[in-house]
Amino acid sequence: MGIMTNRNLRRVCSMPALSLLLAAAVVTLAGCGPRAVRGGPGTDNPQLDKPAMSVTLDLADIEYLVSENTKALSGSALWNKTIMRAPTPPTVAIWPIQNTTSQHIDDQLAAMLSSVETYLVNSSDVRMVSRENQKELIEELRSRQADIYDPQTIGKLGRQLGAQYFVTGKVTSVEERFRRTRRVQYALILQVLEVETGRIVFQNEASRSKALKG
């Protein structure tokens, strides 16, 4: 075996010390970096979801917009004089909510649709067509570049799905800026279409504003 030089000896002996220094640096950096926090009811941060973090729609906005619209639907003449008095619960299909804003809010639209569907399912006053059965139809229409929000198209699909009503809607927005303040006013318009006639038999609009102050 060769004899280890003093330089190599110092290098080997310094490796444990270097490792300790690196480990300490990692711990320090981890303490200074981002930290995940759990919030909401039942946690140490129940108010975490309350503040608005941007002018984009968040969960609180979605819950409010859906709640206001479903509240209006349950109190409407359509619900109380037609659906509630039907011999058997009418079959309802739910259709994608149209985005007419300039923002990319696909996740928010999906959350709205799920909330509306949950309300209708839990009401027990209607029978819901599974959204899974509609995916292929939607993809086929989009591949043909068809307008999936056209009333005639919805009517044909409704008959194909055996639905008597289609629930759909759209989100609109108006944006304004004044000096260093940006405000976006959103509206969720919920509609119920009668498949047989293509008529809009219920429509309601709920609005919500968000502002960002510089």
Side-chain angles (χ1 to χ4, degrees), residues 198-214:
R199 292 187 304 114
I200 298 174
V201 291
F202 170 83
Q203 180 166 303
N204 189 73
E205 179 176 336
S207 59
R208 187 83 154 183
S209 296
K210 303 289 288 290
L212 188 64
K213 299 179 179 181

Side-chain angles (χ1 to χ4, degrees), residues 27-102:
V27 171
T28 302
L29 289 174
C32 297
R35 184 168 62 94
V37 178
R38 190 183 306 280
T43 70
D44 293 333
N45 303 281
Q47 301 299 314
L48 185 65
D49 293 333
K50 298 297 182 182
M53 298 185 67
S54 71
V55 292
T56 304
L57 290 169
D58 59 24
L59 184 60
D61 302 320
I62 292 169
E63 289 177 348
Y64 173 79
L65 293 172
V66 171
S67 174
E68 289 298 299
N69 274 299
T70 53
K71 191 187 304 179
L73 176 59
S74 65
S76 67
L78 169 69
W79 197 269
N80 292 288
K81 294 183 179 180
T82 303
I83 291 177
M84 294 286 289
R85 296 181 183 180
T88 57
T91 301
V92 175
I94 193 164
W95 202 239
I97 294 175
Q98 186 177 9
N99 178 19
T100 64
T101 74
S102 59

Side-chain angles (χ1 to χ4, degrees), residues 128-199:
M128 296 297 299
V129 175
S130 172
R131 283 168 57 195
E132 296 298 320
N133 297 338
Q134 302 176 40
K135 284 185 178 180
E136 292 183 6
L137 293 173
I138 295 171
E139 292 303 320
E140 181 183 348
L141 287 171
R142 284 177 170 160
S143 68
R144 288 189 280 148
Q145 297 184 337
D147 182 4
I148 66 171
Y149 300 103
D150 178 65
Q152 291 185 348
T153 301
I154 292 177
K156 290 178 182 177
L157 291 175
R159 288 186 288 274
Q160 189 173 342
L161 293 168
Q164 294 161 266
Y165 297 98
F166 249 118
V167 177
T168 185
K170 61 183 175 181
V171 175
T172 65
S173 68
V174 176
E175 184 172 338
E176 294 180 296
R177 293 178 184 269
F178 180 71
R179 294 180 180 173
R180 299 179 65 183
T181 299
R182 177 190 175 199
R183 183 180 69 182
V184 184
Q185 296 169 303
Y186 294 96
L188 170 60
I189 302 166
L190 191 70
Q191 294 178 328
V192 178
L193 282 69
E194 189 176 50
V195 170
E196 185 178 351
T197 63
R199 292 187 304 114

Side-chain angles (χ1 to χ4, degrees), residues 106-142:
D106 291 347
D107 290 343
Q108 288 88 338
L109 294 177
M112 287 181 184
L113 205 63
S114 293
S115 294
V116 173
E117 183 181 39
T118 298
Y119 170 81
L120 293 171
V121 169
N122 290 339
S123 74
S124 300
D125 295 320
V126 296
R127 292 179 296 187
M128 296 297 299
V129 175
S130 172
R131 283 168 57 195
E132 296 298 320
N133 297 338
Q134 302 176 40
K135 284 185 178 180
E136 292 183 6
L137 293 173
I138 295 171
E139 292 303 320
E140 181 183 348
L141 287 171
R142 284 177 170 160

